[in-house]
């Protein structure tokens, strides 16, 4: 069988055209949400007059990040490692303004979280403008927007949680669910290692998925993977 070299390009082009057609229906709601987000960013910048804001626990995060850069490892009694590791990444890149760059990335992640909130709300409701209204509440929330400019883990945690629940929706409803379950497990670990407040979230999420699988008649097909993911999460978090 002879396969033309042009066939992969045709497939990619068809995939791109399909995505463009799907996104065109969401253009107006997303532009509205984006406009609110940009306006809120401008208002916040005018209010604060500073690009980087320090909170009472910012010093701890920065201290742990510097310890990581110095080779002291990821284990520290002050903070769990993921957010200090995020800061340490920018410190090791030898940038002119590493912390400001980290804040810029936090702003981009907040914007990504707003878009993900729109997608999640649309998948759950099927209403484009209803999803836009929900995402707009997040985009225009000046209190929450302050987190993205602050050296603390709240902004990153918010993005991780929105991403986690978006992946959870896929793990429950997508035709190919198994890969989404693995990604869900990784996100659960990331959330806990960012904010240990959510240490019981894996139990709630995976336990809820087991109950849902039992009620929908898919328990026999799913319990092994969910059990394995649970063991891996417990191993990583327990080992830490």
């Amino acid at each position: 069988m002879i396969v033309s070299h042009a066939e992969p390009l045709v497939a990619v082009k068809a995939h791109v055209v399909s995505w463009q057609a799907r996104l065109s229906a969401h253009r107006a709601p997303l532009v509205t949400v984006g406009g609110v987000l940009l306006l809120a960013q401008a208002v916040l910048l005018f209010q604060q007059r500073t690009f980087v804001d320090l909170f009472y626990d910012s010093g701890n995060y920065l201290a742990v990040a510097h310890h990581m850069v110095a080779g002291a490892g990821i284990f520290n009694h002050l903070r769990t490692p993921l957010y200090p590791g995020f800061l340490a990444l920018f410190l090791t890149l030898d940038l002119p303004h590493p912390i400001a760059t980290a804040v810029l990335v936090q702003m981009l992640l907040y914007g990504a979280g707003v878009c993900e909130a729109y997608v999640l709300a649309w998948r759950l409701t099927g209403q484009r403008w209803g999803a836009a209204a929900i995402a707009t509440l997040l985009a225009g929330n000046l209190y929450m927007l302050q987190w993205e400019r602050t050296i603390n883990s709240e902004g990153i945690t918010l993005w991780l949680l929105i991403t986690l629940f978006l992946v959870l929706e896929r793990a429950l409803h997508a035709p190919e669910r198994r890969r989404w379950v693995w990604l869900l497990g990784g996100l659960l670990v990331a959330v806990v290692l960012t904010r240990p407040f959510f240490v019981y979230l894996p139990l709630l999420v995976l336990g809820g998925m087991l109950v849902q699988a039992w009620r929908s008649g898919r328990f026999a097909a799913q319990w092994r993977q969910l059990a394995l993911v649970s063991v891996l999460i417990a191993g990583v978090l327990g080992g830490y």
Side-chain angles (χ1 to χ4, degrees), residues 119-160:
V119 174
L120 177 59
W122 174 69
R123 287 192 180 280
L124 293 176
T125 65
Q127 301 293 324
R128 292 193 297 270
W129 285 105
I134 294 172
T136 298
L137 292 176
L138 186 61
N141 191 317
L142 295 180
Y143 174 74
M144 297 176 71
L145 277 170
Q146 294 180 49
W147 295 348
E148 67 180 16
R149 299 175 188 267
T150 305
I151 303 302
N152 60 30
S153 61
E154 276 80 355
I156 295 288
T157 303
L158 178 64
W159 169 70
L160 284 172

Side-chain angles (χ1 to χ4, degrees), residues 6-7 20 32 56 68 70 97 117 119 123 132 154 166 169 196:
E7 288 185 7
Q20 288 176 340
T32 302
Y56 69 90
M68 289 181 175
H97 304 286
V119 174
R123 287 192 180 280
E154 276 80 355
L166 182 60
E169 187 276 333

Side-chain angles (χ1 to χ4, degrees), residues 35-196:
V36 172
L37 179 61
L38 291 175
L39 179 61
Q41 291 281 6
V43 171
L44 188 63
L45 184 60
F46 178 78
Q47 286 182 343
Q48 290 187 336
R49 303 296 178 90
T50 57
F51 189 71
V52 178
D53 192 16
L54 298 178
F55 205 51
Y56 69 90
D57 55 352
S58 300
N60 285 341
Y61 285 117
L62 289 170
V64 176
H66 282 288
H67 288 162
M68 289 181 175
V69 174
I74 65 172
F75 297 98
N76 194 285
H77 69 283
L78 293 176
R79 297 293 171 187
T80 47
L82 203 61
Y83 185 67
F86 169 79
L87 297 175
L89 173 64
F90 297 95
L91 293 173
T92 57
L93 293 177
D94 196 25
L95 299 170
H97 304 286
I99 301 304
T101 305
V103 167
L104 178 60
V105 173
Q106 290 180 183
M107 293 172 63
L108 294 175
L109 290 177
Y110 190 93
V114 170
C115 294
E116 290 175 14
Y118 171 85
V119 174
L120 177 59
W122 174 69
R123 287 192 180 280
L124 293 176
T125 65
Q127 301 293 324
R128 292 193 297 270
W129 285 105
I134 294 172
T136 298
L137 292 176
L138 186 61
N141 191 317
L142 295 180
Y143 174 74
M144 297 176 71
L145 277 170
Q146 294 180 49
W147 295 348
E148 67 180 16
R149 299 175 188 267
T150 305
I151 303 302
N152 60 30
S153 61
E154 276 80 355
I156 295 288
T157 303
L158 178 64
W159 169 70
L160 284 172
L161 286 172
I162 295 173
T163 305
L164 186 150
F165 284 107
L166 182 60
V167 170
L168 175 61
E169 187 276 333
R170 291 288 80 198
L172 292 174
H173 300 123
E176 295 291 335
R177 303 180 185 186
R178 296 183 65 85
R179 60 181 179 179
W180 294 106
V181 173
W182 293 116
L183 180 56
L184 181 68
L187 285 168
L188 286 168
V189 171
V191 168
V192 176
L193 291 182
T194 304
R195 295 285 291 183

